[in-house]
Amino acid sequence: LIEPIKIYAPPGCLANPIFPAPTIARFCPGNQLADTVMKALAQAAPEKVSAGIGNLKVISFSGARPDDPSQYWVHMEIFEGAYGGRNGMDGMDAIDTLYANTRNNPIEDIESHLPLRVNKYELRENAAAPGQWRGGLGSVREFTYLADGGASVEGEGHKYKPWGFDGGSDGETASLQLTNAVGSTEDMYSKMSYKPAEKGSKFTAVGPAGGGYGNPLLRDPRKVLDDVLDEYITSETAEEQYGVVLVGSKSEGYTVDEGATAELRAKRGEAVNAV
């Protein structure tokens, strides 16, 4: 399998750094490198790859203990990314991507011994990249500092969207925000040295969404319906992005209008072929 492949990594490049190049935040560039290789191999083996991944973050919260300022607490979180869609399967949601394998920290454990409150831990809504097999969703986490503290970040994925493949759409970028106790919000970079935060400040991390794989008009309408019922996407998004017409309502439930769906998809296909 690897005989046709030649690796060229000259000294000084990202994959072959020279001292004293910084290397501690190795997971994110490693993920990006693997994702780039996967995109190259997609040209030869499209059925063996996923669309673009949503990269992860390593965020370290810390501060002096409110009951004893001479002692310090540190809490490190791996903020999940998301996989792109694959041939025959949707991308995996809110997961540590590629070669790592870490668990998340339970909310109950965090709040039992750290001056942090977890306000949100949920999947992003209406952010799944359209495709015959949709991209995976990132998570949304929001923390409130119960005492003065701060955080540092090693991450990626705020600027470039995970790539879509074979007609699938690009995914969504990630973001970080810090909202102070009086409600003023500041956008933060994906790589950040220690940033102090006052008691009552909120730290919000929005994870990326992986790329879509394949033409969205070929997605099984039942899978689109499932995504609406699971509140991953809205009924309006189902029609706009997938050409799937739903009848009903959120309160009463939805069903697929198969006739209208077939007609709309046929029109969309004709419009694409005419371009």
Side-chain angles (χ1 to χ4, degrees), residues 119 142-145 177-181 198 200-204:
N119 306 318
E142 182 183 274
F143 296 78
T144 294
Y145 288 91
Q177 290 185 327
L178 182 65
T179 304
N180 64 26
E198 297 178 344
S201 297
K202 294 179 180 180
F203 189 106
T204 304

Side-chain angles (χ1 to χ4, degrees), residues 29-53:
N31 276 345
Q32 206 64 51
L33 178 63
D35 188 55
T36 302
V37 171
M38 192 175 298
K39 188 174 184 180
L41 293 176
Q43 301 173 66
E47 73 285 353
K48 299 293 185 181
V49 304
S50 73
I53 64 158

Side-chain angles (χ1 to χ4, degrees), residues 52 57 78 82 95 112 116 128 142 149 151 158 182 214 216 227 235 248 251 261 266 269:
K57 285 185 177 67
I78 305 296
I95 191 168
S112 68
L116 293 171
E142 182 183 274
H158 284 202
V182 297
D227 286 343
S235 59
S251 59
T261 295

Side-chain angles (χ1 to χ4, degrees), residues 22-95:
T23 57
I24 188 171
R26 62 198 180 280
F27 273 88
C28 293
N31 276 345
Q32 206 64 51
L33 178 63
D35 188 55
T36 302
V37 171
M38 192 175 298
K39 188 174 184 180
L41 293 176
Q43 301 173 66
E47 73 285 353
K48 299 293 185 181
V49 304
S50 73
I53 64 158
N55 217 328
L56 50 76
K57 285 185 177 67
V58 181
I59 302 181
S60 296
F61 299 91
S62 61
R65 290 196 169 276
D67 56 339
D68 183 359
S70 66
Q71 300 296 315
Y72 292 86
W73 60 273
V74 178
H75 173 62
M76 188 173 76
E77 281 272 9
I78 305 296
F79 280 73
E80 310 96 339
Y83 273 104
R86 300 156 286 170
N87 182 38
M89 298 184 73
D90 292 336
M92 289 185 282
D93 304 316
I95 191 168

Side-chain angles (χ1 to χ4, degrees), residues 10-215:
C13 73
L14 179 68
N16 191 10
I18 299 173
F19 181 83
T23 57
I24 188 171
R26 62 198 180 280
F27 273 88
C28 293
N31 276 345
Q32 206 64 51
L33 178 63
D35 188 55
T36 302
V37 171
M38 192 175 298
K39 188 174 184 180
L41 293 176
Q43 301 173 66
E47 73 285 353
K48 299 293 185 181
V49 304
S50 73
I53 64 158
N55 217 328
L56 50 76
K57 285 185 177 67
V58 181
I59 302 181
S60 296
F61 299 91
S62 61
R65 290 196 169 276
D67 56 339
D68 183 359
S70 66
Q71 300 296 315
Y72 292 86
W73 60 273
V74 178
H75 173 62
M76 188 173 76
E77 281 272 9
I78 305 296
F79 280 73
E80 310 96 339
Y83 273 104
R86 300 156 286 170
N87 182 38
M89 298 184 73
D90 292 336
M92 289 185 282
D93 304 316
I95 191 168
D96 194 354
T97 46
L98 294 179
Y99 56 84
N101 185 26
T102 58
R103 295 181 177 182
N104 62 358
N105 292 281
I107 294 172
E108 296 82 359
D109 177 65
I110 294 171
E111 295 184 340
S112 68
H113 64 96
L114 296 170
L116 293 171
R117 178 184 296 119
V118 182
N119 306 318
K120 290 182 182 180
Y121 193 176
E122 60 193 32
L123 291 175
R124 290 182 69 170
E125 296 180 8
N126 228 35
Q132 185 174 3
W133 297 287
R134 65 164 177 82
L137 290 165
S139 63
V140 179
R141 294 207 228 178
E142 182 183 274
F143 296 78
T144 294
Y145 288 91
L146 303 182
D148 291 349
S152 58
V153 182
E154 303 167 6
E156 273 291 352
H158 284 202
K159 185 174 182 179
Y160 299 105
K161 295 182 176 182
W163 48 277
F165 181 67
D166 195 25
S169 297
D170 291 345
E172 295 291 341
T173 55
S175 64
L176 293 172
Q177 290 185 327
L178 182 65
T179 304
N180 64 26
V182 297
S184 178
T185 299
E186 176 185 358
D187 291 325
M188 296 183 290
Y189 296 107
S190 60
K191 288 164 280 294
M192 184 179 71
S193 57
Y194 186 79
K195 184 166 184 70
E198 297 178 344
K199 177 181 179 180
S201 297
K202 294 179 180 180
F203 189 106
T204 304
V206 178
Y213 188 116
N215 186 347

